[in-house]
Amino acid sequence: MFTLENWEFLISYTHLKNLGIAVGVFLLFLLFRKLFTKYVFRIIMRLINKTKVNFLSNIFQSFQKPVEWLFIIVGLYVALRLYPYFNHHQDWFITLVKVALIVLITWGLLNLSSSSSNVFYKINQRTNIKIDDILIPLLSRTLQVIIIAISLTIILQEFDYSIEGFIAGLGLGGLAISLAAKDALANILGGVVIISEKPFTLGDWILTPSVEGTVEDISFRSTKIRTFEDALVTVPNNTLANENITNWSKMGKRRINFSIRLIYDTPKEKVKNVLEKINTMLREHDEVHPETIMVYFEQYQEDGFELLLYFFTKTTVWAEHLAVREDINFRILDILEEEGIEIAVPTRRLMVESEEEESQGRDRATE
């Protein structure tokens, strides 16, 4: 409870002067923080971008927010040191300052190790160390877990907590945790299978019994797939590891298979000419894979001669594949027009008897 002496001290000139200096210093650091964010950071980033050293840019961007908060912590620390009525030598105060600095360093390192920082991608491009794209998110998360674990260990030591007892406790509870996290462990093992066998990687178009789309992210527990309806589906790795996976992105060519029916009035020589011209056209087409091209008179149908066309496009991109298919269809129409051949249309004939024929039929039936 405040006494009269306490109130007199609080409103005294000396106390208000010291308090004003402390608050003023803290506000000055807030101003420095604002200037750093608005001007200094932009100037440094422009200089770094001119050097074209992307790694330095990643480091500076990763530590931008921690440095901004560093101004607040340092400002608060300096203000309290200048406030003569606060004992800044107390252990708890020094420990809190150290922990705050550890948290800021951890924050910056986590930003730097995230997959968005592109550090691992730059390592792939600039060195002989080749890291598969599917491993980069997992490496990033593994590095983040290690950073967090080390930071927690240092923080616990700052609070004089026994690390040995903590580790021993983890060992005793490991069995219970593993039993409780059975599904999670299965998903992690499924992720290991996906990484080792590499049925797909980031950006691949895959088809499974449960989902079809483009792989966006692979984590320890699950894989995120963007469907063609733009929905994001999260599939547990254990499920994917035990499903049939069709990787359409691994196709070296894309199949086209269809039939054309010519009317029965078509002369045999013209049928041969059409087959020969279509075969030549496909073999000379720049976008048709030359390895497998089949154009044959396959069979007789009810409404005409059926020609089989079986070949592959070089491109596997769906839109480009459709464009090639359309071009080939137009060229086939040109060939049929040149030969004067019509495509057979399914037809049905309906026989209608006249009244005279119907009556004659009844008379014969009566006799």
Side-chain angles (χ1 to χ4, degrees):
M1 184 176 181
F2 282 100
T3 63
L4 181 59
E5 292 180 355
N6 297 135
W7 284 109
E8 289 178 351
F9 167 75
L10 288 175
I11 63 175
S12 66
Y13 172 76
T14 304
H15 177 261
L16 290 177
K17 182 182 72 172
N18 292 325
L19 181 62
I21 292 173
V23 173
V25 169
F26 180 69
L27 293 176
L28 185 62
F29 272 90
L30 291 182
L31 178 62
F32 288 158
R33 175 177 179 266
K34 189 72 175 179
L35 292 174
F36 170 80
T37 304
K38 192 171 183 180
Y39 299 106
V40 178
F41 177 77
R42 293 181 180 177
I43 293 172
I44 295 176
M45 284 303 299
R46 287 176 184 174
L47 294 175
I48 291 176
N49 290 333
K50 288 181 179 179
T51 62
K52 297 181 179 179
V53 182
N54 294 325
F55 185 71
L56 292 177
S57 176
N58 289 329
I59 293 176
F60 205 77
Q61 287 178 341
S62 299
F63 282 89
Q64 178 191 358
K65 290 296 182 181
V67 169
E68 292 178 9
W69 277 92
L70 181 63
F71 280 100
I72 297 176
I73 295 173
V74 173
L76 184 61
Y77 176 76
V78 173
L80 291 175
R81 280 185 65 96
L82 294 175
Y83 185 65
Y85 307 105
F86 178 80
N87 184 10
H88 59 272
H89 295 292
Q90 297 179 83
D91 292 338
W92 66 267
F93 176 70
I94 296 174
T95 300
L96 285 179
V97 173
K98 289 181 179 179
V99 169
L101 294 177
I102 293 170
V103 170
L104 292 183
I105 294 172
T106 303
W107 185 5
L109 291 176
L110 288 176
N111 291 337
L112 185 62
S113 61
S114 65
S115 56
S116 60
S117 67
N118 293 324
V119 174
F120 292 109
Y121 293 102
K122 297 302 178 184
I123 292 175
N124 257 358
Q125 296 174 2
R126 299 296 180 86
T127 67
N128 292 326
I129 303 173
K130 295 302 178 183
I131 306 173
D132 196 292
D133 288 345
I134 197 174
L135 290 175
I136 290 178
L138 294 177
L139 287 174
S140 175
R141 287 177 176 83
T142 302
L143 186 57
Q144 288 177 338
V145 170
I146 294 173
I147 292 171
I148 293 174
I150 293 174
S151 300
L152 287 176
T153 302
I154 297 174
I155 291 173
L156 290 174
Q157 287 178 341
E158 289 295 331
F159 285 104
D160 296 327
Y161 189 85
S162 176
I163 302 299
E164 291 79 7
F166 176 70
I167 295 174
L170 289 178
L172 292 174
L175 179 60
I177 293 174
S178 63
L179 292 175
K182 178 182 175 183
D183 292 338
L185 291 174
N187 289 326
I188 292 175
L189 292 176
V192 172
V193 171
I194 291 173
I195 293 171
S196 59
E197 294 187 357
K198 297 180 182 178
F200 55 82
T201 188
L202 297 178
D204 282 358
W205 167 23
I206 65 171
L207 169 66
T208 73
S210 56
V211 67
E212 179 180 10
T214 305
V215 180
E216 279 201 356
D217 185 40
I218 303 170
S219 64
F220 286 111
R221 194 193 71 83
S222 61
T223 297
K224 294 181 180 179
I225 300 173
R226 180 76 62 178
T227 66
F228 297 118
E229 292 79 18
D230 206 29
L232 187 63
V233 181
T234 302
V235 184
N237 286 334
N238 186 40
T239 302
L240 276 180
N242 291 284
E243 286 186 336
N244 296 326
I245 301 174
T246 302
N247 192 333
W248 295 113
S249 297
K250 300 298 182 182
M251 291 188 299
K253 52 188 178 180
R254 199 178 188 97
R255 186 183 65 179
I256 295 179
N257 180 23
F258 63 95
S259 299
I260 299 175
R261 292 183 185 178
L262 308 180
I263 59 176
Y264 275 125
D265 294 339
T266 307
K268 181 178 70 173
E269 292 301 322
K270 288 196 173 185
V271 173
K272 289 183 177 181
N273 290 340
V274 167
L275 290 172
E276 184 178 349
K277 288 184 178 181
I278 293 177
N279 193 11
T280 302
M281 180 269 295
L282 292 177
R283 296 189 181 281
E284 294 178 352
H285 200 291
D286 293 335
E287 298 299 326
V288 174
H289 201 285
E291 187 175 299
T292 304
I293 298 176
M294 297 182 182
V295 182
Y296 293 104
F297 174 18
E298 185 180 22
Q299 59 184 337
Y300 298 96
Q301 292 290 348
E302 294 180 357
D303 46 12
F305 306 125
E306 185 167 276
L307 310 184
L308 171 67
L309 281 75
Y310 185 93
F311 55 96
F312 294 83
T313 61
K314 294 179 180 179
T315 179
T316 59
V317 179
W318 179 240
E320 296 176 2
H321 169 82
L322 290 178
V324 174
R325 185 165 189 159
E326 180 185 60
D327 179 64
I328 290 173
N329 286 336
F330 281 127
R331 295 191 185 196
I332 291 174
L333 286 177
D334 292 338
I335 292 173
L336 295 178
E337 289 179 2
E338 289 175 5
E339 295 293 329
I341 297 176
E342 297 180 9
I343 295 177
V345 179
T347 57
R348 293 289 183 272
R349 291 185 179 181
L350 180 62
M351 306 299 295
V352 180
E353 294 183 348
S354 63
E355 292 183 1
E356 182 179 351
E357 291 175 343
E358 186 178 354
S359 62
Q360 290 177 356
R362 284 199 301 267
D363 292 341
R364 285 196 297 270
T366 301
E367 293 175 357

